[in-house]
Amino acid sequence: MRWLAYSSGAYIVFLLAAAGNSQTVVVDAAPDHVVNSFSPARALGGAIDRLRGGPTKEENEQHTERLLTNPVLKEMLDAGWQTVTFRQNTELMIEAWHWNAYGTWSNAAKQEGYFVGSAEPTDEKIRHSWAYPLPHRGATLGDGNGWSRLTDGNLQSYWKSNPYLTQPYTGEDDSLHPQWVMIDLRSKVDVNAIRIAWANPYATRYIVQFWTGELEPFYDGINKGAWQAFPMGTITNGTGGMAILKLMNWKIPVRYLRIWMTHSSNTCDTHGREDKRNCLGYAINELYVGQMPDGGQFTDIVKHLPSREQTITWPSSVDPWHTASDLDYGRGDQIGFDFFFTCGVTRGLPAMIPIAILYNNPEDAANEIAYLYKRKYPISGIEMGEEPDGQRVLPEDYATLYLQFAKAIHNLTPEAPLGGPSFEGTEGDVDSWVDANGRVSFFGRFVDYLKAHGGLNDFTFFSFEHYPCGAGGGEGKICADWSSLYWEPAYVNHFPGMEGQRASAESSVLYDRRQRFRGRWTGNRETRTLASRLCWFHANGGCKRHLLFPLHCVSARRRRLPADRQRQPRAELLASISGDASNREGMGTAHRRNSQTIQNIQRYQRQRWQHPSNCLHCPASR
C-alpha cells in the first residue's frame, strides 16, 4: 500500500472489507514512498447550498438565520469539517443572481436589462440574496419548475441566446460559437417539416438537423450517434418571420431535432437598440415540428404549453436580460456573503466562493469579488460558474465566457485565484459533441481554448463533483455490496486532469468540491467507501474535498440527530487497502481495477513526482 502523509506526520488507518475471503494487507511505510501530502484542515470540508424555507421572503430569511445560528450551527460544527465552499444554485435554475441588492440596471429608468451589484461595502451587511428567473429561457427541464419559451404557445414570449457569445465580446466570428436549440419529441415520430417563428435577432444561416442515435444526445448517448442535416435543411439566406421549411420529400422517424445557427441578422429585440446586447445573438418565438405533404398544409405535432408538460426543448445559452419584477423569493435564499463569513460557519478559514457566469455579466462578477476582498474575507478560490456541462454548454462557449469574466475580475482584483469548471457529478472525463477535429473531451477543449487565447494563467484549479453511491449505473449501486470498495479508486484515477490533460494545465490543482451520499451517510459501506475515496483522491494529487452536509434537512426536521449520526468520518480516516499478489487471484474485475490503480500511482510517482519541479503541491490559502 502506498501511503499519505498529512501535515502533522504520517497516519494510516486500514479499511477491511467484510468479504468472505481473508486478505493479507501489506503496508509500505517507507518515507521515500510517500506519494502526496496534505493538511486535513485544508483538504476536507463542508458545503453550504442554497436554502429554502418557504414561499415568502420572511420565511426564507427566518429559515436561514435559524440554521446558521446556535443551537443548530453548533450541531453542524460539531460534525468536525473545517473549510467550507459556498455553493451557487441559481445557474442550475436558469436565474440571474443578485448577490448584492444594491447596484445598477443597464436600463435604470425601467429597472430592467443587465444588473451589476455594487462593489462598495456599506454599514448595512448583506445577509440574504435572491434570484430572478430569466424571461428568455429556452429549457424545459433543469432544476426548479421553469419552462421553455420555445414551446409555451405564446408568440409574444421568446428565447434569446447569450450576447456575450457573439463577436463584439468573443473577438471571433460568430460561426466559431454556433448557437443551437434542440427539440425532444419524447418518441420517434414521422416528420418532414418545421416551422420557426423567428423573433429578432434571427439567424440568416442555419441548419436543421436530426439525431441518428438511439440514446439521447447527452450523457451516455452523447456521441453514440450524429447530428445529420435534413436534405433540404440548410438555409443560407434566412429572412426571419414565420419560416415554414419542408426538410425532405419523404418522412422519417425522428425524436431529436436541432437548429444550428451560425450567422445573425443583428436586428434588435423588443427591448430596443439603446443597448447593443439586445441586438446580438439569436431569438425564436415558437417552434413547430410536423409533416407537410406536397402542396398540403403543415401539421404540427408539438405540444405548446407554459409548463413542463410542453414538448421539451434545450438551448445552447440564454440571454441574462431580466427585470426587477422577475424576482422570486420562493426560489430560496442564496445566503448573503456578509452573513456567510461572519455567522461562524466558516470557522474563520478561507472559503471557496462562486461567481455566476452562464447567466450573468462580467462587470457584476468582478464587483462581487472586489466587494469580498474589500471586506477582507479569507478566500481559497473562486469557482467560475456552475456545472456548464450539465447545462449543455459547449466547451468553447464556456471557455470564452471564462476568459471574459477572468479579465474583468483581475482588472479589479489581480490576485484572485480562479478555477472551474465545476463539472456536475462525474465518474471520468466529460464528453461534448464531437467537434470538426474529432475531439470530444470537454476539459481538453476548454484547456486548449485557454492556451490558444493566452488565458491558461487564469486557470489555477480544476473542480468537479462526484457522487460515490450514484456512480456505476444508478443511485446507490456502488454502495450496495462490499465489493464496491474496490470501484472508487478506478473512478478517481479516470477523473479529467489527472493524466494527459493535466500536462496542459500544470499550474492547476484538483478540488472535488462536492460529494454526497444522498442520505446514506453512516452505513459501514458508505463510510468506508468515502474514506477509501478520500485516500485515492489525495494519492492522485487531489488537494481539497467538500462534503455536502444536508443542512436543510437538519433544520427542517428540527430534531437532534441520533448519536451514531452526529459526526461524519474524521479527517484521519484516510486509507485504502490492497491484497498482496498471492491473494489477488480470483478477486474479480473490481480487485484488478484496484491493483491497476496502484500501478498507476507508482507510475505517477516515477514519471511526475520524483522531480521537485513536477510535484503537485496543494497551495496555502490566502
Side-chain angles (χ1 to χ4, degrees), residues 410-430:
H410 283 155
N411 280 343
L412 298 183
T413 317
E415 67 272 33
L418 311 179
S422 65
F423 283 147
E424 68 174 349
T426 178
E427 301 158 25
D429 200 356
V430 174

Side-chain angles (χ1 to χ4, degrees), residues 380-555:
S380 61
I382 297 156
E383 204 166 34
M384 305 282 276
E386 176 76 10
E387 301 181 13
D389 56 321
Q391 301 292 307
R392 279 70 165 179
V393 175
L394 293 177
E396 292 77 17
D397 286 358
Y398 173 69
T400 191
L401 292 175
Y402 188 103
L403 292 180
Q404 292 176 46
F405 281 65
K407 180 180 179 180
I409 291 170
H410 283 155
N411 280 343
L412 298 183
T413 317
E415 67 272 33
L418 311 179
S422 65
F423 283 147
E424 68 174 349
T426 178
E427 301 158 25
D429 200 356
V430 174
D431 283 353
S432 188
W433 289 323
V434 62
D435 70 4
N437 297 312
R439 301 175 303 167
V440 299
S441 168
F442 190 111
F443 186 63
R445 287 163 57 180
F446 165 71
V447 169
D448 286 346
Y449 189 95
L450 296 191
K451 290 176 64 178
H453 293 76
L456 201 55
N457 288 337
D458 291 324
F459 181 62
T460 62
F461 65 86
F462 169 71
S463 62
F464 60 94
E465 294 185 3
H466 178 57
Y467 299 90
C469 286
E475 184 175 324
K477 182 174 180 180
I478 278 191
C479 292
D481 58 73
W482 284 102
S483 67
S484 65
L485 285 172
Y486 297 115
W487 290 41
E488 276 300 295
Y491 284 123
V492 173
N493 201 46
H494 287 91
F495 284 135
M498 284 191 172
E499 297 197 37
Q501 296 176 45
R502 183 68 160 275
S504 298
E506 286 293 344
S507 63
S508 66
V509 295
L510 291 170
Y511 290 96
D512 184 350
R513 55 47 171 265
R514 179 169 171 177
Q515 173 171 299
R516 179 170 60 182
F517 280 95
R518 300 188 184 275
R520 292 180 293 277
W521 274 90
T522 57
N524 264 339
R525 298 186 187 96
E526 292 83 352
T527 301
R528 297 184 183 200
T529 299
L530 171 60
S532 177
R533 169 82 180 82
L534 296 176
C535 176
W536 285 101
F537 175 72
H538 290 290
N540 272 286
C543 286
K544 184 169 290 190
R545 297 180 52 73
H546 291 93
L547 313 177
L548 181 63
F549 192 78
L551 303 181
H552 56 284
C553 295
V554 175
S555 177

Side-chain angles (χ1 to χ4, degrees), residues 1-5 11-15 35-38 43-44 485 488-489 492-493 498 515 527-543 545 570-578 594 597-598 601 609:
M1 161 183 161
R2 295 288 175 182
W3 63 292
L4 304 174
Y11 200 101
I12 303 174
V13 176
F14 306 107
L15 304 175
V35 295
N36 197 6
S37 62
F38 69 99
L44 302 177
L485 285 172
E488 276 300 295
V492 173
N493 201 46
M498 284 191 172
Q515 173 171 299
T527 301
R528 297 184 183 200
T529 299
L530 171 60
S532 177
R533 169 82 180 82
L534 296 176
C535 176
W536 285 101
F537 175 72
H538 290 290
N540 272 286
C543 286
R545 297 180 52 73
R570 288 292 187 179
E572 293 84 1
L573 293 180
L574 300 173
S576 183
I577 62 168
S578 66
N594 197 36
T597 303
I598 295 173
I601 291 177
W609 295 342

